[in-house]
Amino acid sequence: MRPFAGPWRTLTALLAVAGPARPAVAYDLDPNSTESVTSIAKNMADDLLSFYKGDEPGHVPGLPPQQYFWWIGGAMMGALVEYWYYTKDDSYVETTKRGLLFQVGKYDDYMPDNQTLTEGNDDQGFWAAAVMSAAEYNFPEGGDDQPSWLGLAQAVFNTQAVRWDESQCGGGLRWQIYNWNKGWDYKNSISQGTFFSLAARLALYTGNDTYADWAVKSWDWMIDLEYIDKWWYVYDGAHIPNNCTDIVPWQFTYNAGVFILGAAAMYNYTESDAWKERLDGLLEGAQVFFRGPNEDIMEEVACESNDLCNVDQVSFKAYLARWMAATIQWYPESYDRLSPLLRASAVAAAGQCTGGANGRMCGSKWSTLENDGTEGIGQQMSAMEVTLSCMITKRDPILTSNTGGKSEGDPGAGGSDIGRSRNGEPPKKDYPPMTAGQRAGAAILTAVVIGLLLLGVFWLWLDETSDKGPVDQMRGLPSNAAAAAAMVPIAGASLSSRESQVMAEKGPGVLTAAEVGTKHVEEPGPGVAAPAAVKRASVARHSKRASNMPLGWPHNPSIRSSVVEPGQSGQSSSGESTRGTDDDEIRPAAPTH
């Protein structure tokens, strides 16, 4: 294919004359030069690893720094797999393998015990995406005593397939796995998308139609509920209490990218016109994320222009770049559409990497052609991956089991850990029956504990100042105990009276200790509910913040004014397309904060 030599030269010139106040450009990327791309990507990878402490003593392999969520670790390991795929530089292979394998959990399904309380389906899905890429690229395996990359991906698929929730909104995955986490009542596109793309890639890699059937099922659900609209825009999600009809209108690059990836895999697997049409539509819809002088520089339109992107959202462009590049491999006809966008974005991204103490750290904004002063894992991943994408046509093809893929599969992987969730509650552990020896040991231990308890009670009652010996004091215990028992009702009545004053409420208020005796507590009038008893929680609840949502969620306005029942509109896997055909309608703009 011909090298692209279009607007990126204009961007290079713009960067050179951006003004005297702007720092010197750290990277002058030539997207047609393998040497230029690999050398710049190497520096970007080094700077990315400067944020990672997982290989250092006292730190945990695979875990990102504390300000990041666990899933970013999986995304970063995936970025390092991509780096190896493009460059074949082994510098970070051992680091990547340790990170990917340390976090697999007891059942090799990326449900580690130290993360499951706050883990979401999308979090698990990003780790699965990393090991699926490792299988497709023949990334070095961990060893005979370690699970295979393909087996890990299959384990995640198996645990998520049983979480498919037909009882609410007609299907789909909830954002969260457990019901105590914020977002349990939300079904979001990224959870569906990571599952959809994983199923599609497993179908392509293994040739197993069961995975393809799940990919079709999840795609149809997205279309029926209009999470993907007639203009092929992919919206963020909707809430279960409203039957998933209150579509949250925010568009993020990774939502579009993950469905582009899955559709490309399905088109490669089926070679059907239907999947080609869907893929072309998604690529057209993703054009909304390209801004700048020539509308060819990637931008996180929901939050970037007004500086509201959080530490998660600044990484999203990495995934769109990664998955658009993979699409070129699976759908070569898309090269002329995607390569100009990726190359222009790469030149702009590399050109603004002028921050940090070393003068080459990358910021989050590319379309402004200036460094915005931010730095972090997301910024480095995004710049590195879009830079690497310039070499996609010079890399090895993405493999399957029939074209040289060597990772051994395990279709039943994760079976001992299926779901790890039953209606949002953690699973009950199944323990084997006790043996006779265990029962005898338990009886002896119980007797010892009771004996120690009685000895402790006696020790508390023992009066060391008394002239009586321990035996004589024991004879007097019954009379002393009776006297103490007689005092219990009196003490209880006094305590009850005090608590009734302190805990009494009027409206939302609670009296403080200083107010007791100075405030008059009114009884509720007719028709007014008595205040509920105040309970103090003894155990802190775990809560995962809405990391991929803009400020104001879950109270964002819906993009609809009427309720649409699943199946009433859109395009299913067997239906005819009606998308983008109403010329009189105005295409909605991507919302920003």
Side-chain angles (χ1 to χ4, degrees):
M1 295 182 180
R2 68 180 185 278
F4 176 73
W8 70 268
R9 289 181 176 170
T10 303
L11 289 173
T12 303
L14 286 171
L15 290 169
V17 298
R22 187 176 183 276
V25 175
Y27 300 123
D28 184 13
L29 175 67
D30 179 358
N32 290 321
S33 167
T34 299
E35 181 180 359
S36 176
V37 171
T38 55
S39 63
I40 290 174
K42 170 67 173 176
N43 287 340
M44 290 176 173
D46 285 341
D47 292 336
L48 170 62
L49 267 296
S50 70
F51 296 99
Y52 178 67
K53 308 300 180 184
D55 279 348
E56 298 180 4
H59 294 270
V60 181
L63 281 188
Q66 191 171 9
Q67 67 266 34
Y68 296 93
F69 283 102
W70 176 68
W71 76 273
I72 285 288
M76 184 169 70
M77 294 301 114
L80 294 176
V81 170
E82 297 293 324
Y83 174 82
W84 177 87
Y85 166 66
Y86 280 97
T87 67
K88 293 300 184 285
D89 177 3
D90 293 335
S91 300
Y92 316 117
V93 167
E94 293 304 315
T95 292
T96 308
K97 288 197 296 185
R98 277 194 296 272
L100 287 172
L101 293 171
F102 197 87
Q103 295 296 323
V104 297
K106 186 188 306 183
Y107 298 101
D108 296 338
D109 57 2
Y110 288 106
M111 293 283 288
D113 289 341
N114 64 335
Q115 297 297 329
T116 49
L117 284 180
T118 58
E119 185 176 345
N121 282 303
D122 53 348
D123 303 330
Q124 188 188 23
F126 265 87
W127 287 90
V131 291
M132 191 68 232
S133 293
E136 293 166 339
Y137 301 158
N138 274 344
F139 186 77
E141 296 275 357
D144 294 338
D145 60 338
Q146 298 289 348
S148 69
W149 306 132
L150 180 59
L152 288 168
Q154 289 172 312
V156 172
F157 172 85
N158 289 336
T159 60
Q160 292 199 346
V162 297
R163 295 185 199 130
W164 185 265
D165 178 24
E166 298 279 357
S167 66
Q168 304 287 344
C169 306
L173 292 175
R174 293 175 182 262
W175 179 14
Q176 300 301 328
I177 297 173
Y178 295 121
N179 60 12
W180 55 72
N181 284 324
K182 186 174 183 179
W184 164 252
D185 65 343
Y186 191 64
K187 293 192 176 182
N188 61 342
S189 291
I190 192 59
S191 294
Q192 321 310 320
T194 51
F195 180 69
F196 162 70
S197 62
L198 179 62
R201 296 165 76 185
L202 285 170
L204 181 58
Y205 191 96
T206 66
N208 188 333
D209 283 340
T210 299
Y211 296 122
D213 291 342
W214 273 101
V216 170
K217 184 175 185 176
S218 53
W219 172 269
D220 286 350
W221 185 84
M222 289 285 296
I223 296 298
D224 288 343
L225 273 73
E226 296 185 357
Y227 278 39
I228 301 175
D229 75 2
K230 66 188 301 177
W231 289 285
W232 303 98
Y233 292 158
V234 183
Y235 298 110
D236 195 80
H239 299 90
I240 290 172
N242 294 312
N243 199 30
C244 296
T245 59
D246 62 332
I247 302 293
V248 175
W250 310 114
Q251 296 183 63
F252 293 104
T253 50
Y254 75 158
N255 283 331
V258 75
F259 282 95
I260 288 171
L261 177 71
M266 287 300 291
Y267 174 55
N268 199 274
Y269 182 66
T270 64
E271 299 182 353
S272 70
D273 291 339
W275 281 109
K276 181 179 185 300
E277 180 184 356
R278 294 164 189 159
L279 178 54
D280 284 334
L282 289 168
L283 293 176
E284 178 64 26
Q287 185 65 47
V288 72
F289 299 111
F290 291 87
R291 302 293 174 88
N294 299 307
E295 294 189 346
D296 55 1
I297 302 176
M298 197 181 299
E299 180 178 311
E300 199 62 62
V301 296
C303 60
E304 188 173 303
S305 63
N306 42 18
D307 301 317
L308 290 177
C309 294
N310 62 32
V311 294
D312 292 321
Q313 292 158 354
V314 295
S315 76
F316 290 174
K317 290 187 290 189
Y319 320 127
L320 180 58
R322 180 193 304 181
W323 296 330
M324 279 187 163
T327 297
I328 292 175
Q329 283 272 24
W330 281 330
Y331 182 31
E333 297 94 320
S334 66
Y335 174 85
D336 289 339
R337 170 185 283 179
L338 298 182
S339 184
L341 301 176
L342 291 172
R343 288 169 177 250
S345 296
V347 171
Q352 56 81 44
C353 293
T354 59
N358 61 6
R360 69 183 195 191
M361 300 301 286
C362 303
S364 61
K365 296 182 179 181
W366 305 343
S367 58
T368 61
L369 309 181
E370 293 186 2
N371 186 278
D372 63 356
T374 67
E375 60 182 59
I377 290 176
Q379 291 90 328
Q380 288 302 128
M381 276 200 304
S382 297
M384 184 188 76
E385 295 217 42
V386 76
T387 298
L388 290 169
S389 72
C390 296
M391 298 196 305
I392 187 61
T393 59
K394 302 175 183 179
R395 296 303 92 197
D396 297 331
I398 300 174
L399 301 174
T400 70
S401 60
N402 292 326
T403 60
K406 298 178 181 178
S407 192
E408 296 291 332
D410 184 2
S416 299
D417 197 27
I418 283 296
R420 287 293 292 276
S421 171
R422 185 174 303 159
N423 296 323
E425 298 290 345
K428 296 180 180 179
K429 294 183 179 295
D430 295 324
Y431 295 102
M434 292 182 65
T435 64
Q438 289 172 330
R439 291 180 182 276
I444 294 172
L445 182 60
T446 301
V448 170
V449 170
I450 292 175
L452 292 173
L453 179 63
L454 293 175
L455 182 62
V457 170
F458 170 70
W459 184 259
L460 292 174
W461 281 96
L462 188 65
D463 185 0
E464 295 179 353
T465 63
S466 174
D467 294 333
K468 296 181 179 180
V471 176
D472 292 335
Q473 290 190 44
M474 285 185 65
R475 293 193 182 108
L477 279 180
S479 59
N480 292 338
M487 294 296 295
V488 170
I490 300 174
S494 175
L495 179 62
S496 175
S497 175
R498 175 174 175 78
E499 287 199 353
S500 66
Q501 288 181 306
V502 176
M503 303 305 292
E505 298 177 346
K506 181 177 183 297
V510 179
L511 298 183
T512 64
E515 294 173 317
V516 174
T518 64
K519 297 268 188 182
H520 174 65
V521 179
E522 298 182 10
E523 295 296 326
V528 179
V534 176
K535 297 182 179 179
R536 292 182 172 85
S538 59
V539 180
R541 290 174 62 85
H542 293 267
S543 178
K544 178 181 178 181
R545 68 176 173 87
S547 63
N548 73 328
M549 296 304 299
L551 298 177
W553 183 89
H555 305 295
N556 307 108
S558 171
I559 62 172
R560 308 183 201 174
S561 59
S562 60
V563 174
V564 179
E565 294 296 333
Q568 288 185 345
S569 59
Q571 172 195 18
S572 68
S573 62
S574 59
E576 295 296 327
S577 172
T578 59
R579 297 175 174 274
T581 58
D582 293 338
D583 296 333
D584 294 336
E585 290 195 50
I586 300 175
R587 181 186 296 265
T592 58
H593 300 304

Short mmCIF file of all heavy atoms in Angstrom, two decimals, residues 11 13 36 99 109 129 140 146 154 197 218 223 298 321 353 356 410 429 436 503 569 571:
data_model
loop_
_atom_site.label_atom_id
_atom_site.label_comp_id
_atom_site.label_asym_id
_atom_site.label_seq_id
_atom_site.Cartn_x
_atom_site.Cartn_y
_atom_site.Cartn_z
N LEU A 11 0.95 19.62 9.53
CA LEU A 11 1.00 19.66 11.00
C LEU A 11 2.41 19.87 11.49
O LEU A 11 2.66 20.63 12.44
CB LEU A 11 0.44 18.35 11.56
CG LEU A 11 -1.06 18.16 11.40
CD1 LEU A 11 -1.43 16.76 11.84
CD2 LEU A 11 -1.81 19.19 12.20
N ALA A 13 4.77 21.49 9.99
CA ALA A 13 5.09 22.90 9.77
C ALA A 13 4.42 23.78 10.82
O ALA A 13 5.03 24.72 11.35
CB ALA A 13 4.65 23.33 8.37
N SER A 36 12.13 6.14 12.77
CA SER A 36 11.59 7.26 13.52
C SER A 36 10.51 6.80 14.47
O SER A 36 10.49 7.18 15.65
CB SER A 36 11.04 8.32 12.55
OG SER A 36 10.42 9.38 13.26
N GLY A 99 3.24 -8.94 35.22
CA GLY A 99 2.03 -8.18 35.51
C GLY A 99 0.77 -8.91 35.11
O GLY A 99 -0.22 -8.95 35.86
N ASP A 109 -8.94 -16.22 36.15
CA ASP A 109 -9.99 -15.55 35.37
C ASP A 109 -10.03 -14.04 35.64
O ASP A 109 -11.04 -13.39 35.38
CB ASP A 109 -11.36 -16.17 35.67
CG ASP A 109 -11.72 -16.10 37.16
OD1 ASP A 109 -10.92 -15.55 37.95
OD2 ASP A 109 -12.78 -16.60 37.55
N ALA A 129 -8.74 -8.38 27.24
CA ALA A 129 -8.31 -7.84 25.95
C ALA A 129 -6.79 -7.92 25.80
O ALA A 129 -6.27 -8.20 24.71
CB ALA A 129 -8.77 -6.39 25.81
N PRO A 140 5.37 -14.14 24.07
CA PRO A 140 5.94 -15.24 24.85
C PRO A 140 5.06 -15.63 26.04
O PRO A 140 4.63 -14.77 26.82
CB PRO A 140 7.29 -14.67 25.31
CG PRO A 140 7.65 -13.67 24.26
CD PRO A 140 6.35 -13.05 23.82
N GLN A 146 2.02 -22.08 34.15
CA GLN A 146 1.18 -20.90 34.12
C GLN A 146 0.04 -21.07 33.10
O GLN A 146 0.19 -21.81 32.12
CB GLN A 146 1.99 -19.66 33.74
CG GLN A 146 3.10 -19.31 34.71
CD GLN A 146 2.57 -18.75 36.02
OE1 GLN A 146 1.38 -18.42 36.13
NE2 GLN A 146 3.43 -18.64 37.02
N GLN A 154 -10.43 -17.08 27.57
CA GLN A 154 -11.62 -17.93 27.60
C GLN A 154 -12.23 -17.97 28.99
O GLN A 154 -13.47 -18.02 29.13
CB GLN A 154 -11.25 -19.34 27.13
CG GLN A 154 -10.94 -19.42 25.64
CD GLN A 154 -10.39 -20.78 25.23
OE1 GLN A 154 -9.48 -21.31 25.87
NE2 GLN A 154 -10.94 -21.33 24.16
N SER A 197 -16.39 -7.78 21.83
CA SER A 197 -15.14 -7.90 21.06
C SER A 197 -14.36 -9.14 21.47
O SER A 197 -13.73 -9.79 20.62
CB SER A 197 -14.28 -6.65 21.24
OG SER A 197 -13.91 -6.47 22.59
N SER A 218 -24.91 -9.98 21.80
CA SER A 218 -24.61 -8.72 22.47
C SER A 218 -24.72 -7.54 21.51
O SER A 218 -25.17 -6.45 21.89
CB SER A 218 -23.21 -8.77 23.08
OG SER A 218 -22.23 -9.14 22.13
N ILE A 223 -28.09 -2.69 19.63
CA ILE A 223 -28.88 -2.04 18.57
C ILE A 223 -30.33 -1.88 19.00
O ILE A 223 -30.94 -0.82 18.83
CB ILE A 223 -28.79 -2.85 17.27
CG1 ILE A 223 -27.36 -2.87 16.74
CG2 ILE A 223 -29.74 -2.30 16.22
CD1 ILE A 223 -26.80 -1.52 16.38
N MET A 298 -7.14 13.12 16.69
CA MET A 298 -8.02 12.48 17.67
C MET A 298 -8.20 13.36 18.91
O MET A 298 -7.24 13.95 19.41
CB MET A 298 -7.45 11.12 18.06
CG MET A 298 -8.44 10.19 18.74
SD MET A 298 -7.67 8.61 19.20
CE MET A 298 -7.16 7.96 17.60
N ALA A 321 -6.93 4.18 19.04
CA ALA A 321 -5.79 4.05 18.13
C ALA A 321 -5.40 2.59 17.96
O ALA A 321 -5.17 2.11 16.83
CB ALA A 321 -4.61 4.86 18.65
N CYS A 353 4.75 16.34 23.02
CA CYS A 353 5.42 15.66 24.14
C CYS A 353 6.64 16.48 24.57
O CYS A 353 7.79 16.12 24.28
CB CYS A 353 5.83 14.25 23.75
SG CYS A 353 4.43 13.14 23.45
N GLY A 356 7.11 17.69 31.51
CA GLY A 356 7.87 16.95 32.50
C GLY A 356 9.29 17.44 32.68
O GLY A 356 9.79 18.29 31.94
N ASP A 410 -8.29 -23.39 26.50
CA ASP A 410 -8.92 -24.12 27.60
C ASP A 410 -10.38 -23.70 27.65
O ASP A 410 -10.75 -22.81 28.42
CB ASP A 410 -8.20 -23.82 28.91
CG ASP A 410 -8.75 -24.63 30.08
OD1 ASP A 410 -9.66 -25.46 29.86
OD2 ASP A 410 -8.28 -24.42 31.23
N LYS A 429 -19.13 -20.16 49.69
CA LYS A 429 -18.09 -21.17 49.54
C LYS A 429 -18.66 -22.55 49.87
O LYS A 429 -19.42 -22.71 50.83
CB LYS A 429 -16.89 -20.85 50.44
CG LYS A 429 -16.17 -19.58 50.05
CD LYS A 429 -14.95 -19.37 50.93
CE LYS A 429 -14.20 -18.11 50.55
NZ LYS A 429 -13.62 -18.20 49.20
N ALA A 436 -14.27 -37.28 61.01
CA ALA A 436 -14.39 -37.59 62.44
C ALA A 436 -13.27 -36.93 63.23
O ALA A 436 -13.48 -36.41 64.34
CB ALA A 436 -14.36 -39.11 62.63
N MET A 503 -30.42 10.69 70.62
CA MET A 503 -30.72 10.21 69.28
C MET A 503 -32.02 10.74 68.72
O MET A 503 -32.38 10.44 67.60
CB MET A 503 -30.76 8.67 69.27
CG MET A 503 -29.48 8.02 69.78
SD MET A 503 -28.03 8.58 68.89
CE MET A 503 -28.35 7.85 67.30
N SER A 569 -36.98 -0.71 17.67
CA SER A 569 -36.29 0.10 16.69
C SER A 569 -34.88 -0.39 16.54
O SER A 569 -34.41 -1.24 17.28
CB SER A 569 -36.28 1.57 17.13
OG SER A 569 -35.64 1.69 18.37
N GLN A 571 -31.55 -2.00 14.37
CA GLN A 571 -31.25 -3.01 13.38
C GLN A 571 -30.72 -4.23 14.09
O GLN A 571 -29.77 -4.17 14.84
CB GLN A 571 -30.18 -2.47 12.41
CG GLN A 571 -29.65 -3.52 11.46
CD GLN A 571 -28.38 -3.03 10.81
OE1 GLN A 571 -27.76 -2.10 11.30
NE2 GLN A 571 -28.01 -3.63 9.73
#
